[in-house]
Every structure is written in structure tokens, then in C-alpha cells.
């Protein structure tokens, strides 16, 4: 049970953060977890297990999370190429005819999957496991079952998305997605591994990491909430925040003293971004304003409770050396 519970928790937490805490689905749509848990949760658990077995750490997890995002939005939902996905005309701003994509939407949705669908749930559940943070949770049978569930979930979501919109991307677009996904996975395994001996300088205070992450969350959401038709500024903000936070995370994590408190600050700041963002968003399924508000409050409180438990566990383990 000590091995299965973290795996099961990650399978549930990933879709809960990715879709419910985000505000896309209210409490009355929790039955969607039947589809979303194998898809999001299965992928998150598979990425985590493969990365920990191979010893490729967080750079590998992030790259494989990007590969998942490209695969979901390029093949499963095809939102990267569908000009009228969910009836929202998401590709109109910053549309590039040669590629068939909208730059703001591509930058935005891929970051959602990297950070919130995959990395944040993985980080939180790992910190809750303490000493078993970087060890595999599943055996060969469990890993096989996870892979099968993830594939089935992806297939079901692909069929579900097609039946809703009957949109099909072109063959060159689909082939390009497969090539990009394969390249990202290969790159995840080819990155040089950094050891504790390579570290120099001191890591920043965890509170500073949290504050910077919260500010980055505001700037990341600003193009959707404030900028309206300012497409160029929106693209600059999205790209700047994504590149800037990636560079900072790589720089900070290479410093001496980087530990669970800092990882919690990054994951916690991102999670809190979804908590406040949900109150400014509407669901993608029918829901009354009251149900919508209650859902945001319930899921937001759940996120705070989870952060409190994880922070307490990290505080207990603060003096125990941990690997990245």
C-alpha cells in the first residue's frame, strides 16, 4: 500500500489540478474523472516512473511533460490546429498560416500541460512521500498496467474529441506532431545529468522562490485576462515568463541548499495560481453560477489543504539530504 497509494494519488491529482482546479469542470462533473484519470493521471504516473527508473530527474520529467502536451493538443484534441476548437476561435490571435497554429494558444496550452497537468502533481505527491521521492513506486506489472491505461485513455479522449467537433488535422501536421514528440522523449534521455558535486553558490530563500513563482503566474495569465487584442504583447509576456521561469528554475536548482522547501515553493506558487485563476474563468460544461462558485471554493480549499500537508512533510524532512 505504501507503494500503491502515491501512484493512485498522482493518477487522481493530475486531472483534478489540470481540469477541475483550473475551473473547466465543476463539482457536478466529477464523473469525467473516469476518462481524465487514465489520460492525465496515467500519463503523469508513466512519466514519473520512467524518469525515476532512468535517473533523468526533473529536466527529463519536464521534457516528457512537454511531449505529452504536444501529443494531447496535436493529436488527441487537435486544438493546436482546429480553428474552431470548442467554438472559441482559439487560433485567431497570432495565427501563422504556414504552420496552421495560433502562437499565443500554442504557448499557453503547452505550458498548462508542462506545469499544471504533469509537473505540479508529480512534485506535490513526491514531496508527500518523503524518502521515497525519487524511487520507483511501481513494479513491472504496475508499470505495464499504467501504460495500458494511459494508451486507452488517450484513445478514448481522441475519439471523444473527434466526435464533438469532427475536425481532423492534415497528414503533415499529424506527422510533425509524432516527430516532435519522439524528439522530445529522446532528448529527455540524452540530457547530461547534473550531480551534487557540480553545484556552486547558494540557493535563494524558499519564500523568494514562492513570490517569484506567484508573480510569474500573474504575468502568465495576464494575456487572457487583461490584454485583449494586444497579441504581440501577449506573446511576449507568455514567452518571457516561460523562458524566464525555466532559466530561473535551472539556475536555482543547481545551487547548494536546493531542497524540498524550494521545490514546494515552485509547485505551491503554481498551484495557487490556478486557485485564484479559477474565479475568473468559466466552465466548459453547463453549470449555474452558484455551482461554479462553490466548485472553485471547494477545489481551492482542497488545494490549500494539500499544500499544507506537503509543506508539513517537507518541514519534517528539511534537514535530510535529498537528491534532485
Amino acid at each position: 500500500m505504501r507503494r500503491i497509494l502515491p501512484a493512485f494519488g498522482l493518477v487522481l491529482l493530475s486531472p483534478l489540478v489540470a481540469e477541475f482546479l483550473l475551473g473547466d469542470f465543476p463539482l457536478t462533473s466529477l464523473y469525467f474523472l473516469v476518462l481524465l484519470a487514465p489520460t492525465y493521471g496515467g500519463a503523469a504516473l508513466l512519466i514519473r516512473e520512467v524518469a525515476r527508473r532512468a535517473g533523468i530527474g526533473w529536466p527529463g520529467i519536464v521534457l516528457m511533460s512537454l511531449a505529452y502536451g504536444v501529443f494531447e493538443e496535436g493529436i488527441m484534441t487537435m486544438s493546436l490546429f482546429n480553428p474552431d476548437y470548442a467554438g472559441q476561435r482559439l487560433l485567431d490571435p497570432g495565427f501563422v498560416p504556414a504552420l496552421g497554429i495560433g502562437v499565443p494558444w500554442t504557448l499557453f496550452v503547452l505550458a498548462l500541460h508542462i506545469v499544471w497537468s504533469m509537473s505540479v502533481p508529480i512534485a506535490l505527491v513526491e514531496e508527500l512521500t518523503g524518502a521515497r521521492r525519487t524511487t520507483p513506486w511501481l513494479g513491472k506489472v504496475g508499470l505495464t498496467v499504467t501504460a495500458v491505461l494511459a494508451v486507452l485513455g488517450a484513445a478514448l479522449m481522441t475519439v471523444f474529441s473527434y466526435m464533438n467537433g469532427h475536425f481532423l488535422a492534415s497528414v503533415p501536421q499529424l506527422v510533425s506532431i509524432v516527430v516532435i514528440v519522439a524528439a522530445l522523449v529522446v532528448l529527455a534521455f540524452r540530457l547530461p545529468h547534473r550531480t551534487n558535486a557540480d553545484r556552486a553558490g547558494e540557493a535563494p530563500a524558499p519564500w523568494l522562490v514562492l513570490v517569484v513563482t506567484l508573480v510569474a503566474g500573474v504575468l502568465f495569465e495576464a494575456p487572457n485576462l487583461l490584454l485583449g487584442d494586444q497579441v504581440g504583447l501577449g506573446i511576449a509576456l507568455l514567452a518571457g515568463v516561460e523562458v524566464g521561469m525555466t532559466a530561473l528554475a535551472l539556475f536555482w536548482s543547481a545551487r547548494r541548499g536546493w531542497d524540498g522547501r524550494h521545490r514546494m515553493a515552485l509547485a505551491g506558487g503554481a498551484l495557487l495560481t490556478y486557485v485564484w485563476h479559477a474565479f475568473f474563468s468559466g466552465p466548459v460544461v453547463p453549470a449555474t453560477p452558484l455551482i461554479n462558485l462553490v466548485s472553485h471554493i471547494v477545489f481551492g480549499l482542497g488545494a490549500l489543504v494539500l499544500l499544507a500537508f506537503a509543506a508539513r512533510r517537507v518541514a519534517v524532512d528539511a534537514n535530510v539530504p535529498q537528491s534532485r
Side-chain angles (χ1 to χ4, degrees):
M1 290 299 295
R2 293 179 70 245
R3 295 175 62 186
I4 294 175
L5 282 178
F8 185 70
L10 179 55
V11 167
L12 288 180
L13 184 61
S14 178
L16 284 172
V17 172
E19 297 291 354
F20 291 89
L21 185 62
L22 171 63
D24 280 356
F25 293 104
L27 282 166
T28 51
S29 297
L30 278 172
Y31 59 88
F32 273 114
L33 283 174
V34 174
L35 171 63
L36 297 175
T39 307
Y40 283 102
L45 182 57
L46 190 61
I47 288 171
R48 189 266 169 196
E49 288 296 298
V50 170
R52 292 313 183 189
R53 285 169 176 269
I56 57 179
W58 271 104
I61 290 175
V62 169
L63 279 174
M64 286 193 285
S65 297
L66 174 57
Y68 170 82
V70 172
F71 185 78
E72 177 176 326
E73 302 301 331
I75 291 182
M76 283 192 275
T77 68
M78 301 189 194
S79 79
L80 293 182
F81 308 114
N82 188 346
D84 196 34
Y85 180 72
Q88 298 185 46
R89 307 298 304 178
L90 297 171
L91 305 189
D92 288 354
F95 183 69
V96 180
L99 300 177
I101 64 172
V103 175
W105 173 246
T106 299
L107 290 174
F108 181 75
V109 76
L110 293 184
L112 295 188
H113 288 302
I114 296 170
V115 178
W116 288 277
S117 299
M118 300 291 137
S119 297
V120 167
I122 291 172
L124 290 174
V125 177
E126 282 196 338
E127 294 305 327
L128 283 168
T129 64
R132 293 175 293 128
R133 184 181 69 83
T134 59
T135 61
W137 298 332
L138 301 176
K140 293 181 179 179
V141 173
L143 192 62
T144 301
V145 171
T146 300
V148 170
L149 287 176
V151 171
L152 288 176
L156 287 173
M157 180 173 283
T158 302
V159 172
F160 182 80
S161 296
Y162 178 77
M163 295 302 295
N164 276 336
H166 295 282
F167 173 85
L168 188 63
S170 68
V171 172
Q173 288 172 330
L174 294 175
V175 170
S176 69
I177 291 297
V178 173
V179 171
I180 292 171
V181 168
L184 288 170
V185 173
V186 170
L187 181 60
F189 285 87
R190 297 297 296 273
L191 287 176
H193 297 175
R194 189 161 47 193
T195 66
N196 291 336
D198 299 326
R199 300 187 178 192
E202 295 294 331
W207 68 263
L208 179 59
V209 177
L210 175 62
V211 169
V212 171
T213 305
L214 289 171
V215 172
V218 173
L219 294 177
F220 179 77
E221 298 291 351
N224 292 316
L225 300 176
L226 303 173
L227 299 183
D229 295 330
Q230 301 296 320
V231 177
L233 181 56
I235 292 174
L237 265 178
L238 287 172
V241 170
E242 292 171 16
V243 172
M245 282 305 298
T246 300
L248 275 177
L250 287 172
F251 177 73
W252 284 339
S253 63
R255 316 289 281 183
R256 289 189 301 269
W258 179 268
D259 57 24
R261 298 168 301 168
H262 301 87
R263 293 188 294 269
M264 271 297 302
L266 276 176
L271 195 71
L272 291 173
T273 296
Y274 259 20
V275 171
W276 68 257
H277 168 268
F279 289 91
F280 296 91
S281 66
V284 298
V285 296
T288 66
L290 178 59
I291 290 295
N292 201 33
L293 177 61
V294 171
S295 298
H296 296 335
I297 293 173
V298 170
F299 290 130
L301 289 175
L304 293 176
V305 170
L306 179 64
L307 282 178
F309 274 108
R312 182 179 179 182
R313 182 57 186 260
V314 167
V316 171
D317 297 335
N319 295 321
V320 179
Q322 300 183 49
S323 62
R324 291 179 62 244

